[in-house]
Amino acid sequence: MTPLAKLLEAALFASAHPIPLAELAELDPEAPLAAVTAALEELREHYNVDGHGVELVELGGGWQILTRAEYTEAIERAQLASRPQRLSAAALETLAIIAYRQPIGRAEIEEIRGVNVGGVLKSLHERGLIEVTGRSEGVGRPLQYGTTPLFLEHFALRHLQELPRADELAIALRAEPTPVE
Amino acid sequence: MTPLAKLLEAALFASAHPIPLAELAELDPEAPLAAVTAALEELREHYNVDGHGVELVELGGGWQILTRAEYTEAIERAQLASRPQRLSAAALETLAIIAYRQPIGRAEIEEIRGVNVGGVLKSLHERGLIEVTGRSEGVGRPLQYGTTPLFLEHFALRHLQELPRADELAIALRAEPTPVE
Amino acid sequence: MADEQLTLPSPTGEAAFVVDLKAFSGPLDLLLSLIREEQLDIYDIPIARIAEQFLARIRTLGLNDAADYLEMAARLLRIKAQMLLPRGEEEAWEDPRAELVRRLLEYQQMREVVDLLERRGEERRNQFARTFVPPDAPPPPAPLALSLSELLAAVDRVLRAARRPNVHDVVSRPLNVPGAVAIIRDLLQLRARVLWTEIVNRDAEPSFVLSTLLGLLELAKLGELRVHQPKPFANVEIERDAAGEAA
């Protein structure tokens, strides 16, 4: 590929949006517009003839490199199949507190955990594990959170009362096999 | 290029972050892992030999296509993308300590750096370079910090083991304080 | 990264001046650069001299308001005083500088890693990753890998970590739907319209919440009331159903 085509490729790859021809031309102030269009043609040809997973297209007044349609399905499938996501320790602890103390406001959770939980609450909410159940009567009437039916479903619980009581929990958690001495 | 290399290229082009090998392998469930690594090698070769504006690199626990450094300036000048801000010395020192000593609490970091690191930890956390990994058993059960995959990505490290071992560092406490004669 | 500048009010109340803390990333950094400038042996620091220079430097840099630097200055002066004490038995003598030397070496080692990170970070900064990713429909989220034992382990962590370990016990109390139905009926006798939060207060037991919810659904099914939520997350309004009443 010519140096100009390589420069265009790098810019098209890095840009946050499709790039209009005029902007592409600014990449190399010495290159005449004709050279830029020729380099674009060269890049497009290269992707097509050489056989690439991507193609160069002109859409909505700008140029962009796009994944070829024939591969999008495999990519989406792979994203789905990618290993199930785990919750962070912070998210788990917050969820545990909400499960046992619902309805509970953000300030009370932060009081227990000693850290800001804004981001964690948002992500638990997006995952559908918690929901806003109302507002408390306190100053500013802060939002109260509780667990959702999906939460119960996820842990195969019929209702919240199936969660072990805190004192039973201590025993259950210690029941791990003790290392042989 | 082989069909598998094209598929990998399509997926890598569509991602803003490194893709772990395991996820790349899921793109074609029938391809053995050896075929995937061979296709990655093919793609890397193709970019290098054929002369492209981008290259394929292994970092942050996965594979990623990046623009070649030689085009950075032109792309930035044309305002098509901009480089992230450099980290401050305070941030780098804190990261270096966390990278080597993780999981580590705030007090220990402050002990090594000799300064308060509350603000630095907050901003490293906001940038996604560190995360809370748990709490230590110590008094007050302080939070423990560790580095994230984004940390590796930011410093183009394949994995943490790529950092020199403490005893490989030049001044690695090699000479014990000489006993007083 | 936050701009690490402190604007310090001058003690005389004159124009405030700005201290550039960036010149040094901390007292250990300043100390090390003094040792380097003077080409001193880190294992045999002339502590009186270095303490004096440290103090002079934080004065000229205007760092004397920065607690971390002051703390180090105090430490140096302490070591200086200890060095002056009679040593007594030579064998039992512990060099009061030992801890400082250890910290300086540790710090220097860390700085070496910083150099490496800086280099690698700079290389990476010079390459762009893909930023424009064409808007596809977001794929459904990956399934969540989360087991009950993990959740319970988290509860345990919270219980042990909480300053006041007052996480409520979930009491295995049977649901009392008839009781809740009675309460709701009584309330609706008094008022034609009540709010959910008037029935269920914020620290209600989960069993009561559930009982009330089931009771409401039961009464709605019987046509005795209507449940209405004006918008998502809004309070639930419960109204006596006139038609149901008539029937």
Side-chain angles (χ1 to χ4, degrees):
Chain A
M1 285 206 279
T2 58
L4 187 54
K6 288 196 266 183
L7 173 58
L8 293 180
E9 183 185 42
L12 288 162
F13 177 80
S15 166
H17 53 87
I19 313 178
L21 186 62
E23 279 180 45
L24 284 171
E26 285 176 33
L27 281 162
D28 181 356
E30 276 156 40
L33 206 59
V36 176
T37 51
L40 280 170
E41 198 46 52
E42 180 194 348
L43 189 58
R44 172 146 68 181
E45 273 297 293
H46 178 86
Y47 286 155
N48 290 346
V49 175
D50 216 47
H52 273 261
V54 294
E55 60 184 332
L56 180 63
V57 293
E58 190 183 5
L59 266 182
W63 292 82
Q64 52 187 296
I65 300 173
L66 291 179
T67 301
R68 280 187 200 277
E70 59 202 283
Y71 299 115
T72 50
E73 203 191 316
I75 293 170
E76 274 169 28
R77 208 176 43 232
Q79 277 169 344
L80 268 182
S82 62
R83 66 212 179 307
Q85 288 178 287
R86 311 188 64 82
L87 284 184
S88 66
L92 262 176
E93 292 183 15
T94 305
L95 188 59
I97 292 167
I98 295 174
Y100 276 78
R101 294 197 57 176
Q102 55 190 301
I104 183 172
R106 173 171 163 176
E108 294 157 87
I109 303 171
E110 290 181 343
E111 158 122 9
I112 296 173
R113 291 214 46 239
V115 291
N116 182 302
V117 296
V120 171
L121 284 179
K122 186 159 173 284
S123 93
L124 288 173
H125 190 259
E126 278 166 4
R127 284 171 180 278
L129 293 170
I130 62 166
E131 64 192 345
V132 174
T133 56
R135 283 178 183 279
S136 86
E137 295 300 318
V139 180
R141 306 204 10 103
L143 295 176
Q144 301 278 97
Y145 297 89
T147 54
T148 60
L150 187 67
F151 166 84
L152 294 176
E153 199 180 304
H154 187 90
F155 294 108
L157 298 169
R158 270 166 308 178
H159 39 72
L160 281 172
Q161 282 68 28
E162 263 188 8
L163 283 173
R165 284 174 23 206
D167 52 351
E168 293 168 352
L169 193 65
I171 300 159
L173 289 164
R174 305 273 175 295
E176 280 168 30
T178 42
V180 183
E181 273 153 77
Chain B
M1 284 206 279
T2 57
L4 186 55
K6 285 197 267 183
L7 173 58
L8 295 179
E9 182 186 42
L12 289 162
F13 249 87
S15 171
H17 293 282
I19 308 179
L21 185 63
E23 267 174 54
L24 289 171
E26 303 219 16
L27 285 163
D28 181 355
E30 274 155 43
L33 206 59
V36 177
T37 50
L40 282 168
E41 199 44 54
E42 181 193 345
L43 191 57
R44 172 148 66 180
E45 273 298 294
H46 177 86
Y47 287 154
N48 290 347
V49 174
D50 216 50
H52 271 262
V54 294
E55 62 181 327
L56 180 62
V57 292
E58 189 184 0
L59 62 89
W63 292 80
Q64 187 174 25
I65 298 176
L66 294 175
T67 60
R68 286 185 195 277
E70 58 203 281
Y71 302 114
T72 304
E73 215 178 298
I75 293 170
E76 205 166 42
R77 208 174 40 232
Q79 297 182 356
L80 293 170
S82 58
R83 279 182 277 193
Q85 272 199 316
R86 281 195 189 86
L87 290 176
S88 68
L92 282 169
E93 288 186 7
T94 307
L95 271 177
I97 293 166
I98 295 175
Y100 273 80
R101 301 272 177 103
Q102 56 189 307
I104 183 173
R106 173 171 162 178
E108 294 157 85
I109 303 170
E110 292 182 340
E111 162 74 16
I112 297 173
R113 285 203 50 221
V115 293
N116 181 301
V117 297
V120 174
L121 283 180
K122 184 158 175 285
S123 99
L124 288 174
H125 191 260
E126 277 166 4
R127 278 179 169 237
L129 296 169
I130 61 168
E131 64 190 347
V132 174
T133 56
R135 287 177 185 274
S136 86
E137 296 297 320
V139 181
R141 308 208 3 107
L143 295 176
Q144 301 276 94
Y145 297 90
T147 54
T148 61
L150 192 64
F151 163 81
L152 296 175
E153 204 183 320
H154 193 99
F155 294 101
L157 296 165
R158 275 187 302 245
H159 37 68
L160 279 174
Q161 288 70 31
E162 216 184 323
L163 289 172
R165 290 205 322 266
D167 57 2
E168 292 167 350
L169 294 171
I171 40 112
L173 298 167
R174 54 182 165 175
E176 289 293 309
T178 40
V180 182
E181 275 143 75
Chain C
M1 202 50 43
D3 204 4
E4 302 212 55
Q5 290 195 330
L6 288 184
T7 307
L8 301 171
S10 115
T12 52
E14 286 161 21
F17 59 98
V18 171
V19 177
D20 188 5
L21 289 184
K22 271 189 187 142
F24 296 100
S25 60
L28 287 163
D29 190 21
L30 173 55
L31 201 53
L32 262 186
S33 76
L34 285 177
I35 290 170
R36 232 174 279 128
E37 276 170 35
E38 305 280 318
Q39 299 189 322
L40 300 175
D41 179 1
I42 201 165
Y43 296 106
D44 189 18
I45 304 168
I47 208 82
R49 190 163 130 214
I50 212 79
E52 202 174 292
Q53 285 179 344
F54 189 86
L55 283 171
R57 195 62 75 89
I58 66 174
R59 238 174 267 128
T60 53
L61 287 173
L63 293 176
N64 42 341
D65 277 5
D68 302 320
Y69 288 85
L70 269 198
E71 197 241 309
M72 177 57 74
R75 187 187 297 259
L76 291 173
L77 293 174
R78 234 174 12 245
I79 297 173
K80 178 181 156 191
Q82 281 167 352
M83 295 289 285
L84 296 174
L85 291 176
R87 291 193 187 182
E89 247 184 72
E90 201 65 13
E91 270 176 27
W93 188 71
E94 226 178 89
D95 192 332
R97 300 169 299 182
E99 171 63 12
L100 183 66
V101 171
R102 186 195 66 73
R103 286 187 65 188
L104 281 169
L105 289 172
E106 187 178 51
Y107 184 78
Q108 211 173 344
Q109 191 182 35
M110 184 271 302
R111 285 300 294 259
E112 209 179 320
V113 179
V114 166
D115 289 344
L116 177 117
L117 289 180
E118 217 162 17
R119 256 191 336 269
R120 299 293 292 261
E122 198 53 28
E123 280 171 29
R124 176 60 189 84
R125 257 183 98 241
N126 285 328
Q127 295 189 283
F128 292 116
R130 178 77 154 161
T131 44
F132 172 67
V133 177
D136 274 334
L144 199 59
L146 184 56
S147 68
L148 186 57
S149 67
E150 281 177 290
L151 180 78
L152 297 182
V155 176
D156 184 58
R157 283 204 301 277
V158 170
L159 281 176
R160 284 190 288 150
R163 267 166 289 168
R164 292 179 295 122
N166 56 351
V167 172
H168 287 180
D169 289 353
V170 173
V171 182
S172 313
R173 186 172 295 166
L175 298 183
N176 181 4
V177 181
V181 164
I183 293 172
I184 299 164
R185 277 190 174 137
D186 286 350
L187 281 170
L188 285 178
Q189 289 249 306
L190 291 171
R191 296 226 313 264
R193 180 171 163 276
V194 289
L195 297 174
W196 169 262
T197 47
E198 291 172 315
I199 307 177
V200 180
N201 64 13
R202 51 179 296 221
D203 43 13
E205 301 273 345
S207 63
F208 179 72
V209 178
L210 272 177
S211 304
T212 309
L213 192 59
L214 292 174
L216 275 179
L217 294 175
E218 185 62 30
L219 290 171
K221 204 170 76 186
L222 291 173
E224 291 187 28
L225 53 78
R226 272 182 317 223
V227 178
H228 175 62
Q229 192 175 25
K231 55 177 189 263
F233 308 133
N235 210 334
V236 174
E237 297 168 4
I238 298 133
E239 274 177 72
R240 196 155 61 200
D241 192 319
E245 223 172 8

